[in-house]
Amino acid sequence: MENLKKIIKQFPEVGEVSEIKTLTSGLINQTYLVKSTSPEEPDYVLQRINHLIFTNIEMLQHNIEVVTNHIRQKLENNHEEDIERKVLHFLSATNGKTFFYDGEGYWRISVFIPRSHTLEAVTPESSYLAGLKFGEFQAMLADVPEQLGEIIPDFHNMEFRLKQLHEAITNNAASRLAEVQDIVNAIEKDADMMCSAEQLYREGKLPKRICHCDTKVSNMLFDEDGKVLCVIDLDTVMPSFIFSDFGDFLRSAANTGKEDEKDLDNVKFNMEIFKAFVKGYIESARSFLTPIEIEMLPYAATLFPYMQAVRFLADYINGDTYYQTQYEGHNLVRTKAQYKLYLEAKAATTEMKAYISSLL
Ligand code: GN1
Ligand code: MG
């Protein structure tokens, strides 16, 4: 704690601190809630950024500043109320930057958004509002005046994720391959089909736009009435297919089980959540979506559980070097749960298409 207090001192805006608590969500960064003594002062979120994953912190924070400033400007132009709760605000450190390097790690602080909470599950009502919000989020970022850096190159590139899986298989670093051969084979069967977005991109038929790229439900803040205030965890904001935000939201929201569910019978694709979300999303995003983007929304709903299964599986084969795990075999449990969700979503594709057509 004393160490954390020293880091907080580098951010002059923060006053006297009464308590520092670990906030456990997220598999990548370390996050703390910093409580202020004075009730006049907001609380803060302190994060140690994982610089093994985000190797260019300068670029990372630059992207985040561009995006939060752009959104703030839009909200102000629209005379929105309660702007402080609708966009994140990062504090400057004594070095003039929005991060501080203490010789070992990179730290940043943002204002904790008051009277907000995260959810692990959504209802059809909140899913509809989330759809509206994400369409809006992408629309607001459509005219960011500069090219944002690809913070993690090929982050949501399915071909690249499969290549990483193939490398993991070749190296078999943790000698776990034999045990996962069945699921590897199952994944391989659908590989070509799942890479169709990259194919269309090469043919010039599919655009990239600025996306959040980690829109799982737990990365959104909701207000007292269940409305989405804003998306948090902006580390992966970068150019991507719009499928990223659409598909990744459903990967968590439409899953009736947990991301790391052990009982696969609990993993189903919730069509009510899908319908509510896609309705909201199309309402607010229709103006800028191309016909091909709309047509491929069901594909996006299958792509993200599939991609996440590939990523968890590669990490399992590599010996758990990327995602934080809580027990031996955790990444394999995650893989199976995500693969099951993929199958469930795939089985629902026809119904998804029919519903989307009914909205247009
Ligand atoms: C990671 O930051 P966090 O834990 O929300 C990962 C996402 C995965 C997610 C799976 C930089 O997100 O891509 O979808 O875990 N972020 C990175 O829960 O790899
Ligand atoms: Mg993240």
Side-chain angles (χ1 to χ4, degrees), residues 26-29 54 214 216 219 233-236:
L27 309 178
I28 307 287
N29 297 322
F54 300 107
D214 194 13
K216 56 183 180 185
N219 277 338
D233 193 356
L234 302 173
D235 293 332
T236 51

Side-chain angles (χ1 to χ4, degrees), residues 101-118:
Y101 180 63
D102 71 351
E104 276 175 44
Y106 292 83
W107 298 87
R108 68 181 167 208
I109 294 185
S110 59
V111 175
F112 180 84
I113 296 189
R115 291 165 286 115
S116 71
H117 58 275
T118 54

Side-chain angles (χ1 to χ4, degrees), residues 156-341:
H156 281 168
N157 180 334
M158 196 57 244
E159 287 174 350
F160 173 73
R161 293 302 181 187
L162 283 160
K163 193 168 133 245
Q164 285 186 316
L165 174 62
H166 296 150
E167 278 163 15
I169 291 171
T170 306
N171 298 335
N172 195 13
S175 304
R176 287 172 168 176
L177 183 58
E179 170 202 356
V180 298
Q181 196 59 57
D182 286 356
I183 188 149
V184 168
N185 295 345
I187 282 175
E188 291 296 353
K189 255 192 343 197
D190 291 349
D192 285 347
M193 180 179 76
M194 296 318 284
C195 291
S196 48
E198 274 73 36
Q199 186 57 40
L200 289 165
Y201 179 67
R202 271 195 294 277
E203 292 167 11
K205 292 178 182 155
L206 197 63
K208 286 193 184 178
R209 309 177 190 276
I210 295 178
C211 295
H212 179 278
C213 293
D214 194 13
T215 54
K216 56 183 180 185
V217 174
S218 57
N219 277 338
M220 303 187 320
L221 292 183
F222 293 83
D223 71 7
E224 307 87 328
D225 307 320
K227 290 210 183 80
V228 186
L229 284 166
C230 63
V231 273
I232 53 174
D233 193 356
L234 302 173
D235 293 332
T236 51
V237 171
M238 64 183 123
S240 189
F241 304 123
I242 53 108
F243 307 150
S244 289
D245 295 352
F246 184 85
D248 218 16
F249 174 83
L250 289 169
R251 182 178 72 78
S252 54
N255 184 357
T256 55
K258 292 183 295 194
E259 182 178 72
D260 58 354
E261 185 68 55
K262 284 185 176 156
D263 181 355
L264 295 183
D265 289 340
N266 291 337
V267 178
K268 297 266 160 57
F269 188 79
N270 185 331
M271 269 316 270
E272 292 318 304
I273 296 292
F274 171 85
K275 286 180 178 169
F277 182 69
V278 76
K279 185 167 189 291
Y281 181 70
I282 286 190
E283 261 176 56
S284 59
R286 200 170 172 179
S287 59
F288 67 86
L289 292 178
T290 62
I292 226 171
E293 286 175 310
I294 295 181
E295 191 190 311
M296 288 178 79
L297 291 176
Y299 156 84
T302 62
L303 178 62
F304 280 83
Y306 180 85
M307 189 185 303
Q308 198 62 58
V310 168
R311 293 177 65 192
F312 283 146
L313 181 58
D315 197 36
Y316 181 68
I317 298 174
N318 285 333
D320 312 318
T321 58
Y322 190 86
Y323 293 107
Q324 292 176 30
T325 54
Q326 266 122 48
Y327 54 85
E328 171 89 24
H330 198 169
N331 272 319
L332 184 56
V333 168
R334 289 171 173 151
T335 304
K336 290 180 177 164
Q338 292 297 300
Y339 186 72
K340 172 75 192 305
L341 182 64

